[in-house]
Amino acid sequence: MDTRFNAAQRKLRLELRDYFKSIMTPEVVAEVVGKEGGPRFREIIRKLGEDGILTLGWPKEYGGKEYTTVEQLILFEEAWSAHTPFPLITINTVGPAIMKFGTDEQKDFFLPKIAAGQCIFAVGYTEAGSGTDLASLKMPAVLDGDEYVVNGNKLFTSSGQDCDYVWLAVRTEKEVKRPSDGISIMIVDATDPGFSFAPINTVGDIETSMTYYENVRIPKDRVVGGINRGWKVITSQLNHERVTLASMTVVGAKQFRRVVKLLDEKSQAGDGPLTDPLVRAKVGELYCRLEAIEVLNLRTATQIEEGKLDVALASGVKFQNTLELIEVLRGLLDLVGEDALVAYPSEGAIFDGDLERDYRSAQVNTVGGGVMEVMRCMVASFGLEMPNTIA
Amino acid sequence: MDFNFSEEQQSIVDAAERVFADLCDDDTIKNIGESDVPLHKELWAQLADSGMLGLVVDEEHGGLGMTLVELCLLFELQGKYLAPVPMIATLVECGLVISGSDNVTLKADLLPQVVSGELLLSPVRASNGVLDTAGLAAAGNDDLVLNGVSGVVPYASVAGGYVVTATEDDGHAVIVYCPQGASGLSVTEQRMSSGELAGKLHFENCAVPAAQVVARGASAAALAERQKQDTFVALAALQVGVLDEGLRRTAEYVSQRKQFGRPLGAFQAVSQQAANAYMAIESLRGAYWRALDDIEHGNDAALSTRVAKFWVGEAGHKAAHTILHLHGGIGQDVDYPAHRYFLWGKHNERYIGTPDDMALDVGKLIAADATRVLNAGTAA
């Protein structure tokens, strides 16, 4: 049993923390926080690309450093904690999918651009009628000569407002045994005149978009993984996405340290909040919750590294992480008191509104990246051999 | 990182599992539970014969000299089979404390009897309930006199002796050994909600000769803290066994039992609850492994063992109620085994500290030295 970070991993975390801190000055943070695009966002991502940071987890043959899963988790956690613009989906979903399913031409064209921070992908999966049940998606792609023609709308297209390409899931076959059989993945050029978007403002300030496709033309060689074989491309990247999602819960640990530091400073003088048993018990409880999340995430990351991911655990960690994070942030708001919900840029906003914003955005993962109820059904069927109640 | 028990560690308990499986079928456990002395004597004897009671006793005293890690795998089995034996009390709460003592005569006297299974031991601490809050006081220079009450002493009436943690006049802890039948000590038998045998101990000018002192002063405080940490982890192992098996049986039940023409488990309302219980148990398992890792590698385990005990309660409460509820009406019937997983889950939740107690303890440790959490993930 060995559940803790080793010396090299702790050192790596400190180095990455220093690196991100040097880039993410308070002014820069204020400019980009919550953004998924814009000039400053792009500038930082190009800088990360130049410094080789984006591809630390990639295989060496694609210019990466082959970070282990735990090292990647540390990387994403530190990037996330510092509010660094980091094209997680492009790096951790699209890139690996192209490596696995792409043609040589696709690899040669896209991977160096992604690595250099010069190419950002939006992901167009969700439709108005297909969210929780993604495999039911309907947007058709119709072959016309050497190109597919796409018409329709996508909802919650992450990075849709400032992307170079859209990683688009479309229906290429209606008459299929299972709905997931007729799906294909295609790469849309965002400069296509038929592509447009409209921003969707969200509760957690996370930018996302509605995207529109009007006779958008996609050359045949921009299909990834073959026609009607898109579902495999989508699901094969779930492992990578688990790590991405796990890293997001680091905001709980980060805000916990901040609040404890604040309480501790106020208590140094003597009769401060940390002398109150109620405050101590709440601090203790939150620590207990955070430690359990940390071990679950490290255990999952280690399973991924060993190629032995337990589907039940991975699905369960998704919702457990989310619910515990919400609970921890709630407790931290309690500890901070009545000004906890003063919003940035109001003068009284604590930690420049960071805690208030994190609390607001933490809830999105009850839905985003796999709806909680679906994850629970998977836990019951894979982990407890109960009937499959999803489909 | 490594989130596995080693093959060697696992192999130790593989043999033990056969012993539990042979001797702890549902009917046997039910019958023992209904008997006057709910103690599985045959199992205890078999565990002694196979060397399991000496797992963590050093070789000098007839044991196998292994660590708490191997022992915890044994507690997981005990939980799985709901075996009514004072294994944690005898081996961890008392045995390891005696092993940690400088009193070589006492060790030489008691430890071989633990290994052979002749001597059941039980830990005694001052009551912290609202009924008996007077504490356990020890007075004297070399020989000591004990006064006070302890409310929940596991298997007290069948134990051959007690490891008693008391407080001296100057506020320091002292740990002594007190045999059953000592003058000034009386035992009132009690039964816990889980059916476990327990006792209320009254010490009234109970004389303890210096030869029976396990530890005094700073070493007693350190040993008492170590006793707590080891017990928290042991209870986490036990609870993992109880809840894993309880939930496995629950899933099996709802997958077979049909209502409205389909298995109950085919209702999402049911699968959602089972999944919540599953992840509560996985949270416990992670906290348990982290604490065990710290103990195994000699790290400071003050925080992680308390986190583990917090989750013993948190997961225990959530999963125990789910186990019972999803069994429907039959779960309420005490002729059917489901209720025992519920009662054990709740017993473990509370024994030597509730989640609130643990949270407060952790909060105190953080208040005393905030740097231990402020540097998390970066400091050695």
Side-chain angles (χ1 to χ4, degrees), chain A residues 42-277:
Chain A
R42 290 286 191 146
E43 181 194 318
I44 291 167
I45 287 175
R46 279 195 301 273
K47 160 87 173 142
L48 298 180
E50 281 165 25
D51 293 345
I53 299 294
L54 295 176
T55 53
L56 290 171
W58 281 15
K60 291 206 171 105
E61 60 174 310
Y62 300 111
K65 285 270 189 310
E66 288 188 3
Y67 268 26
T68 63
T69 313
V70 170
E71 288 166 341
Q72 289 182 54
L73 184 67
I74 294 170
L75 167 68
F76 300 147
E77 284 181 348
E78 290 305 320
W80 196 261
S81 289
H83 296 290
T84 318
F86 203 100
L88 272 172
I89 294 174
T90 305
I91 294 297
N92 216 24
T93 300
V94 175
I98 291 176
M99 290 172 210
K100 185 161 181 186
F101 297 98
T103 61
D104 287 343
E105 186 269 331
Q106 288 169 344
K107 289 180 197 173
D108 292 344
F109 183 79
F110 288 107
L111 294 178
K113 283 193 175 63
I114 293 176
Q118 292 165 351
C119 167
I120 291 176
F121 274 78
V123 167
Y125 286 171
T126 303
E127 296 174 8
S130 305
T132 304
D133 180 11
L134 181 62
S136 69
L137 65 88
K138 292 190 180 65
M139 187 199 260
V142 182
L143 190 61
D144 178 25
D146 276 344
E147 293 173 324
Y148 282 90
V149 180
V150 178
N151 278 289
N153 308 331
K154 288 279 182 182
L155 203 58
F156 300 124
T157 310
S158 314
S159 304
Q161 65 283 0
D162 185 13
C163 62
D164 303 295
Y165 297 93
V166 183
W167 184 256
L168 192 70
V170 290
R171 181 153 299 281
T172 39
E173 183 65 66
K174 280 191 216 162
E175 306 299 320
V176 284
K177 212 166 116 205
R178 290 171 307 182
S180 57
D181 290 344
I183 292 171
S184 303
I185 291 288
M186 300 181 179
I187 297 175
V188 173
D189 191 326
T191 60
D192 188 298
F195 172 75
S196 61
F197 69 89
I200 300 174
N201 298 312
T202 65
V203 175
D205 286 350
I206 299 166
E207 285 189 345
T208 186
S209 295
M210 182 91 186
T211 48
Y212 306 96
Y213 306 79
E214 201 182 330
N215 291 319
V216 166
R217 303 189 75 84
I218 306 169
K220 265 178 159 176
D221 61 11
R222 291 287 164 89
V223 175
V224 182
I227 286 297
N228 295 336
R229 291 186 184 156
W231 191 248
K232 193 158 175 34
V233 179
I234 293 172
T235 54
S236 73
Q237 298 315 308
L238 288 176
N239 280 2
H240 290 286
E241 286 160 26
R242 301 287 178 215
V243 184
T244 315
L245 286 165
S247 71
M248 294 180 180
T249 48
V250 78
V251 303
K254 175 184 117 176
Q255 299 293 6
F256 177 76
R257 285 196 300 269
R258 275 178 149 176
V259 171
V260 167
K261 189 159 180 280
L262 187 67
L263 296 174
D264 189 45
E265 282 163 4
K266 283 187 172 293
S267 305
Q268 290 300 334
D271 196 25
L274 272 178
T275 57
D276 180 342

Side-chain angles (χ1 to χ4, degrees), chain B residues 148-167:
Chain B
V149 177
S150 183
V152 181
V153 179
Y155 291 88
S157 58
V158 295
Y162 310 98
V163 169
V164 184
T165 307
T167 309

Side-chain angles (χ1 to χ4, degrees), chain A residues 332-342 348 350:
Chain A
L332 293 174
L333 294 183
D334 289 352
L335 287 170
V336 165
E338 70 172 1
D339 31 11
L341 292 185
V342 176
I350 197 152

